[in-house]
Amino acid sequence: VQLQASGGGLVQTGGSLRLSCAASGPTLNSYGVAWFRQAPGKEREGLIVRRSSGQTWYSDSAKGRFTVSRDNAENTVYLQMNNLKDDDTAVYYCAAGFPIFSTRWDWQAYRYWGQGTQVTVSS
């Protein structure tokens, strides 16, 4: 499966942004899908993991502000981000694969990656 992430940009503190991860090839329904981000000088951080069953986990950074949704017809997964903070500035990636439960937050457990989209939050 090939993933194409988009929707990043410059947004004011407190604003919202929706990122898209469009897949070509096999349906994303067959994969575990995750959103990660990486800020300069920091390790890649897992935000949301969604299994093919629909079971979803949120990291502490994402809880209460970020949500994931899926459009099966478009074979696309979305990351809705609300109440954005300056610390949310990073490159955001979508990923797909078959991580086991214990490795679901480990970026190395995902085989397929989108190219990343820059999100910059500034007051």
Side-chain angles (χ1 to χ4, degrees):
V1 63
Q2 293 182 323
L3 305 177
Q4 179 79 24
S6 62
L10 176 63
V11 62
Q12 286 191 331
T13 303
S16 298
L17 209 58
R18 189 178 79 160
L19 306 183
S20 301
C21 178
S24 58
T27 173
L28 277 178
N29 286 345
S30 303
Y31 297 86
V33 177
W35 285 93
F36 288 80
R37 69 184 180 187
Q38 188 163 19
K42 294 188 177 181
E43 293 187 358
R44 194 164 295 190
E45 173 191 13
L47 296 170
I48 299 177
V49 173
R50 179 172 178 152
R51 297 181 73 173
S52 57
S53 64
Q55 187 175 15
T56 304
W57 294 272
Y58 293 83
S59 71
D60 288 343
S61 297
K63 281 178 185 176
R65 299 189 301 128
F66 296 179
T67 56
V68 66
S69 61
R70 184 172 65 191
D71 185 329
N72 292 332
E74 297 293 328
N75 206 20
T76 298
V77 172
Y78 300 97
L79 175 66
Q80 178 67 42
M81 303 186 294
N82 299 323
N83 190 23
L84 284 162
K85 306 175 182 179
D86 293 1
D87 288 348
D88 293 320
T89 295
V91 178
Y92 284 70
Y93 299 90
C94 59
F98 303 101
I100 59 176
F101 179 81
S102 61
T103 64
R104 65 194 188 280
W105 295 114
D106 183 355
W107 66 268
Q108 297 181 83
Y110 295 82
R111 180 174 181 180
Y112 307 101
W113 288 84
Q115 81 284 11
T117 184
Q118 176 71 45
V119 172
T120 303
V121 185
S122 175
S123 54

